[in-house]
Amino acid sequence: PVGSLRRWMWVLAGIAAAINAAHGIEKDGAAAGLALGALSLLGVLLHSIRQGLDTAKAVGRNRGLEIWRRIRYPRLSLAAASIRAARELDQDAAWQLAWIDRFGVGPDASRRDRVLGALITDRELKEDRKAAKTGELTIIGGHVQRDVSADIREYIDAERAAARAEAEAVIDSAQDALIAAGLLFGPDTLTENTLGGRAAELLPALQDAIRNGDLPPTPGVKRIQAFVKDDLGHPSIGVPTAQELRNALSGIHAVPSPEHEQAAS
């Protein structure tokens, strides 16, 4: 394979350089030995450069531009190489990401934008470090993001408080409406509408009994139970039902008889 060939070339050249350097040092001194060793590697180095240029030309890459990038922007070149090694990207994509990581903008941006972008990136990095220490940042799906759970809880609490205030306003309005209805139509209407089940079924009969004088205007629980069972012939009712009926009848008064009306007149 081509990759193995290049590696073994450098291995053999390194062995030859070591032998020549040792021979030169033994015979003519250290300077001659180092010169012989460097010359042993020079041929392989030139061949590797030539091979790299041919490869770049074949794939449409500008080898000279790549070399100048490494000389002009050594930090960005190392960053791009690290990104390529980590993410298996092509050289152009890694170069773009390295600029964005360093300056916050791509290589196509102006110098002014690069300078300002670097300042902004440094400031945001410092702020994010403080936020990470205080627990404001979290990792979600492999990405560092701001923890919005506190904001969500605050929003939910605000919505609950608003809903509670609105519900209380509705309840107050309903209570005002009930009070007004009681003043207009009397307490009987409100009481009857709150009953259900057997109490609502037995209430009309008890009202008739009060009007006819068969029951006192405000009968007690035991009297209501006895009247329902003995006089109406219904099954006996429990204390809660009798209490509901007593509360419903507490505002009902018996209609005066015609004799009482004539006496009053």
Side-chain angles (χ1 to χ4, degrees):
V2 178
S4 298
L5 175 62
R6 294 186 62 181
R7 286 192 294 271
W8 280 109
M9 285 175 57
W10 278 103
V11 171
L12 296 177
I15 295 174
I19 294 174
N20 290 332
H23 180 70
I25 291 172
E26 181 181 359
K27 186 177 180 180
D28 298 323
L34 293 176
L36 290 176
L39 290 175
S40 299
L41 297 176
L42 182 60
V44 179
L45 176 62
L46 294 176
H47 175 74
S48 298
I49 294 174
R50 178 74 260 180
Q51 188 178 14
L53 292 174
D54 293 339
T55 303
K57 184 178 180 180
V59 298
R61 289 165 50 192
N62 191 342
R63 188 67 176 177
L65 179 61
E66 295 177 2
I67 295 175
W68 174 245
R69 281 179 176 177
R70 294 176 183 175
I71 297 174
R72 176 64 179 82
Y73 304 105
R75 292 178 57 188
L76 289 173
S77 299
L78 291 175
S82 300
I83 293 174
R84 289 186 63 188
R87 302 178 59 178
E88 298 183 359
L89 300 174
D90 56 28
Q91 187 172 1
D92 293 335
W95 183 251
Q96 184 82 12
L97 291 177
W99 276 74
I100 293 175
D101 289 343
R102 177 65 183 86
F103 299 106
V105 294
D108 297 334
S110 63
R111 184 177 181 277
R112 174 181 178 276
D113 291 342
R114 293 199 303 269
V115 173
L116 296 177
L119 295 175
I120 294 172
T121 302
D122 293 340
R123 175 178 56 80
E124 291 181 349
L125 181 59
K126 292 179 181 179
E127 294 177 355
D128 290 340
R129 285 179 177 176
K130 293 180 181 178
K133 291 180 180 180
T134 57
E136 298 179 12
L137 297 181
T138 184
I139 298 177
I140 301 177
H143 299 279
V144 178
Q145 298 180 7
R146 186 167 296 276
D147 189 4
V148 296
S149 58
D151 297 335
I152 293 176
R153 286 194 296 268
E154 183 179 357
Y155 175 78
I156 293 175
D157 293 339
E159 289 293 321
R160 286 178 177 173
R164 186 180 299 110
E166 184 177 357
E168 290 177 354
V170 172
I171 292 173
D172 292 339
S173 299
Q175 290 178 348
D176 294 340
L178 290 174
I179 293 173
L183 294 175
L184 290 175
F185 304 104
D188 300 344
T189 304
L190 301 179
T191 306
E192 292 174 6
N193 292 334
T194 60
L195 295 179
R198 294 200 63 191
E201 179 183 354
L202 296 172
L203 182 60
L206 295 178
Q207 290 174 338
D208 293 338
I210 291 175
R211 293 188 183 96
N212 296 330
D214 297 332
L215 279 176
T218 55
V221 173
K222 294 183 179 180
R223 182 69 181 87
I224 292 174
Q225 289 178 316
F227 181 80
V228 170
K229 182 179 179 181
D230 300 336
D231 298 345
L232 298 181
H234 287 272
S236 59
I237 60 175
V239 174
T241 303
Q243 289 177 346
E244 286 187 75
L245 291 171
R246 180 199 62 188
N247 296 334
L249 296 171
S250 60
I252 297 177
H253 302 283
V255 178
S257 61
E259 293 80 1
H260 290 167
E261 291 180 354
Q262 292 178 0
S265 60

